[in-house]
Amino acid sequence: MPAITEPITEPLVRSRSGALIGALSLATLATGLLQISLPLELHQLRATPNEIGLTLSMYGFGMLAFEWFWGILADRVGYRGPLVVSQLLYAGCILVLARVDSIFLIAVSYLVASGMMVAVGPIARSYVGTALHSRLRATGLALLSAQWVIAEALGAGAGGLLIDRFPIRSVMLAGAILPVLSALLVILVFKGYSRVGYGDQWTADDQARMDESRAGGGVVRVLAVTATMVLLVQVGAGGELALLPLLVTTHLHLSAASAGTAMLAVGLIGGVLLVPGGNASDRWGRKPTMIAGGIVSAIGFAVYATSGSLAQVIVGAALRACGAALIWPAATAWIAESMPRRRHAFYMGLFGEFENVGITIGPILGGLAWSLAGIQAAFYAYAIAALLAALVAAVMVERRPALALR
């Protein structure tokens, strides 16, 4: 068993953790550009709702196919190499996406691109999840998630403005440089870093939480509960990313810039709230914040479905962001503190796979609901999934006491 040591006290911002988050933000901007560009490109190609849903679901399929691999690789060779390689390959995939002409080729290219992009999930979560004290863990992981959400939103917002002025493919081509810059910064961030012995450092509180997990059924039970809950949450999150631009442009008949504004609002509000949401989890406990987050997310989806103006969409975005800020850091910290350290990146990769299944199903489910009863029906379906996630948290997650940082 790893030795119990004094708590690791790496600060949240002025540290390698903070530098890593900043480095990855550039590549995340590129992801935001793709998330606004591809739905509009598919609409221009006159794809059907089912074709749009299936094609955009490749984002989830790609992450599902590759995230576990990046986790295993990071456990074996360290963090820096896999991150650098993945970012360079991601840039190449964006170049290909900007050149292909058919819906089928777009789907295949998007699948591979998302598989390269997703390396940041298990690797960054594993580093932050082991570098910080358990009473700062949800806050730190929330800061990492905030970077993803805000940078994606900024990329989507900028993409909407650029698409109103330039061809969509030109916008995607310009975005390909961003992962290259991230790769160069990652090299600098991990210069001189060694993982030798690092994964063996546990605090006394870490050991107590591991004992609680084993008493409640062990790692398998934690994985099963997390899989169910995260899948339900991510069904809505994946559907929101895919269908919100189309809700704005096809249902409300607004411009691409308006769609970008809606996605920008989703990301900025969500990103701002994620760190306070993580802090709430550290203070109040994982279970109550997960329950509250699922309920608030469901309300946000219902507001989306009944929206008749951009202002109402923004209100729905604010509610959705608040719900995500509560449930997501708590769920991430709950699994991070329950997993064995020697294969931590692998288990965080599995956590990411649960996300990926939901992200994959979300656009498909939304496209089906859209074809049967209109695009608003898709958001009602996502609201039901969020309520079910809250129910799973209420029934299956153990209540752990929130302790003050010593």
Side-chain angles (χ1 to χ4, degrees):
M1 178 181 293
I4 299 173
T5 70
E6 290 302 311
I8 302 168
T9 57
E10 180 173 291
L12 290 180
V13 179
R14 300 184 66 180
S15 64
R16 183 175 277 111
S17 293
L20 176 62
I21 291 169
L24 296 177
S25 65
L26 294 175
T28 311
L29 287 171
T31 302
L33 284 173
L34 289 181
Q35 287 171 347
I36 188 68
S37 299
L38 286 180
L40 299 179
E41 174 72 4
L42 291 168
H43 186 63
Q44 284 187 2
L45 293 173
R46 302 183 183 280
T48 66
N50 282 333
E51 287 174 334
I52 291 174
L54 184 60
T55 301
L56 296 179
S57 73
M58 294 300 107
Y59 182 74
F61 275 121
M63 293 191 292
L64 182 65
F66 287 92
E67 187 158 2
W68 65 273
F69 165 77
W70 293 116
I72 291 175
L73 190 62
D75 280 330
R76 290 181 177 273
V77 304
Y79 297 134
R80 180 172 60 179
L83 270 181
V84 171
V85 171
S86 67
Q87 293 306 296
L88 294 177
L89 292 174
Y90 185 33
C93 290
I94 294 175
L95 290 175
V96 174
L97 262 176
R99 304 291 296 178
V100 295
D101 297 319
S102 73
I103 295 173
F104 174 76
L105 291 177
I106 288 175
V108 173
S109 301
Y110 199 30
L111 184 149
V112 179
S114 68
M116 301 304 102
M117 175 277 299
V118 79
V120 302
I123 297 174
R125 280 177 174 152
S126 181
Y127 179 78
V128 174
T130 53
L132 299 175
H133 191 280
S134 61
R135 294 160 180 91
L136 293 174
R137 192 167 292 139
T139 304
L141 290 167
L143 183 63
L144 177 63
S145 296
Q147 174 274 130
W148 287 327
V149 173
I150 291 175
E152 281 184 1
L154 291 173
L161 293 173
L162 291 170
I163 288 168
D164 278 345
R165 294 165 174 79
F166 303 100
I168 294 176
R169 294 178 182 274
S170 297
V171 173
M172 287 193 285
L173 281 171
I177 190 64
L178 296 172
V180 176
L181 297 176
S182 281
L184 296 175
L185 290 174
V186 166
I187 293 174
L188 296 177
V189 168
F190 284 107
K191 184 178 181 180
Y193 174 72
S194 174
R195 290 189 64 201
V196 176
Y198 194 82
D200 293 338
Q201 293 179 327
W202 281 11
T203 68
D205 186 57
D206 288 329
Q207 183 62 48
R209 291 182 183 274
M210 282 295 296
D211 291 341
E212 290 173 6
S213 295
R214 282 191 287 268
V219 170
V220 173
R221 181 184 180 279
V222 172
L223 287 172
V225 173
T226 307
T228 303
M229 184 168 53
V230 170
L231 186 150
L232 290 167
V233 171
Q234 290 300 98
V235 162
E240 181 182 44
L241 288 174
L243 298 186
L244 184 57
L246 298 172
L247 178 72
V248 174
T249 56
T250 65
H251 179 66
L252 299 181
H253 305 292
L254 299 176
S255 65
S258 296
T261 298
M263 295 188 71
L264 179 64
V266 170
L268 288 182
I269 298 171
V272 168
L273 293 177
L274 269 169
V275 174
N279 186 254
S281 173
D282 284 330
R283 289 176 177 271
W284 303 334
R286 313 304 188 210
K287 181 173 183 172
T289 50
M290 283 190 265
I291 295 170
I295 294 171
V296 175
S297 291
I299 296 172
F301 281 126
V303 172
Y304 276 148
T306 57
S307 293
S309 67
L310 183 61
Q312 288 176 285
V313 170
I314 301 302
V315 171
L319 289 168
R320 260 285 295 142
C322 183
L326 290 170
I327 195 170
W328 203 244
T332 308
W334 187 62
I335 192 170
E337 65 200 9
S338 302
M339 295 297 106
R341 293 302 171 89
R342 291 188 180 278
R343 303 187 68 195
H344 197 268
F346 169 68
Y347 284 113
M348 295 311 290
L350 286 182
F351 172 76
E353 296 290 18
F354 305 154
E355 297 180 74
N356 301 337
V357 173
I359 290 174
T360 303
I361 293 173
I364 297 174
L365 176 63
L368 178 61
W370 181 5
S371 65
L372 293 175
I375 194 169
Q376 293 159 297
F379 291 92
Y380 282 123
Y382 301 148
I384 293 171
L387 288 175
L388 291 174
L391 180 62
V392 171
V395 174
M396 301 300 295
V397 175
E398 305 95 343
R399 180 68 180 264
R400 291 174 176 171
L403 303 175
L405 179 63
R406 292 190 294 269

